[in-house]
């Protein structure tokens, strides 16, 4: 199942795609008016995703909407936590001048740093050094602490694409990366949540790319993770409780703009695409603040 968040009449709603390339979707607010219209709340409701699946399968014609003109929101518009891994591909660590790490680098994102599919990535007034990062997003489906390799994937509600847009000069003002990763509207998240039954366990072995104006900038595979989805969930839940709707951003491969000679920065008029095999294409124009 593929679900997405969208805005209609000033309210967040949830859509369900019948297939990956469908030109129409099911508006859950019509097909199942008793279900939450916020993705985080739907995920948190026991049996919520299965109820959405059943409602979409039995939806009346009145619930069918065209994809054209949809205004996408971030898949989970306001996650409780957005936990990001840095340096999770050895080649990306190397291009940034880092040794292969023994433990992931972690930082947090806030909800206001995100934007939806087809919405602009905002280049801020403060800097022109706006960079792209293709990443797999993992959406948590149930409360979890002290996960093990045997049960870690049981807490996953689904997977999506993320562009960890980074303001590089601000990222490097301190040893903590947070400020460069939290400019408003810098992190696209979407286009949809793909449930685990449609993908290999742990979203392993999926090709991941970024493209800037059609040119391939990053091209790797999730099998190249230093810490895969299972290991990442185990490490994170040593520290904190994950809750439904929380999001884990799993790191980016080599090929980012700052490591190129000369550096490549995203600018207004550009189009950046993140594609993950089996999930979809997250596409965003760039605009100035």
């Amino acid at each position: 199942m593929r679900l997405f968040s969208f805005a209609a009449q000033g309210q967040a709603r949830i859509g369900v795609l019948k297939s990956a390339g469908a030109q129409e979707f099911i508006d859950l607010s019509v097909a199942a008016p008793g279900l939450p219209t916020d993705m985080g709340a739907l995920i948190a409701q026991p049996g919520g995703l299965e109820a959405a699946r059943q409602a979409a399968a039995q939806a009346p014609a009145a619930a069918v909407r065209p994809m054209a003109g949809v205004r996408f929101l971030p898949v989970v518009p306001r996650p409780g936590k957005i936990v990001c891994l840095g340096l999770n591909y050895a080649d990306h660590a190397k291009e940034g001048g880092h040794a292969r790490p023994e433990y992931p680098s972690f930082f947090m994102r806030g909800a206001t740093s995100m934007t939806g599919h087809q919405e602009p990535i905002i280049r801020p007034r403060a800097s022109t050094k706006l960079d792209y990062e293709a990443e797999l997003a993992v959406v948590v489906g149930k409360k979890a602490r002290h996960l093990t390799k045997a049960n870690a994937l049981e807490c996953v509600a689904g997977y999506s694409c993320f562009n960890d847009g980074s303001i590089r000069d601000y990222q490097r003002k301190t040893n903590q990366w947070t400020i460069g990763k939290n400019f408003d509207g810098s992190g696209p998240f979407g286009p949809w949540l793909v449930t685990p039954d449609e993908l290999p366990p742990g979203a392993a072995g999926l090709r991941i790319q970024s493209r800037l104006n059609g040119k391939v900038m990053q091209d790797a595979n999730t099998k190249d993770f230093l810490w895969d989805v299972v290991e990442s969930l185990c490490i994170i839940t040593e520290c904190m409780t994950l809750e439904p709707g929380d999001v884990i951003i799993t790191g980016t491969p080599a090929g980012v703009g700052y490591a190129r000679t000369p550096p490549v920065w995203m600018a207004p008029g550009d189009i950046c695409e993140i594609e993950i095999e089996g999930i979809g294409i997250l596409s965003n124009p760039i605009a100035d603040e």
Side-chain angles (χ1 to χ4, degrees), residues 9-81:
Q9 301 176 337
Q11 301 292 323
R13 295 188 183 181
I14 298 171
V16 180
L17 279 179
K18 289 188 173 181
S19 65
Q23 300 303 306
E24 296 179 325
F25 70 95
I26 304 300
D27 184 341
L28 274 186
S29 68
V30 177
L35 287 177
T37 59
D38 173 79
M39 188 73 77
L42 178 69
I43 292 169
Q45 179 172 304
L49 290 178
E50 183 55 35
R53 186 191 304 273
Q54 294 177 9
Q58 301 166 5
V64 179
R65 302 277 187 267
M67 289 298 296
V70 167
R71 186 190 161 210
F72 288 88
L73 298 173
V75 171
V76 183
R78 297 200 67 84
K81 295 187 286 296

Side-chain angles (χ1 to χ4, degrees), residues 207-238:
R207 190 176 188 181
I208 180 169
Q209 284 190 338
S210 65
R211 297 186 290 269
L212 188 59
N213 302 322
K215 180 181 178 181
V216 174
M217 309 300 282
Q218 296 172 284
D219 192 355
N221 194 291
T222 59
K223 68 178 174 59
D224 300 327
F225 283 143
L226 295 178
W227 294 275
D228 64 18
V229 170
V230 168
E231 292 167 322
S232 298
L233 289 168
C234 291
I235 291 169
I236 292 167
T237 59
E238 286 178 343

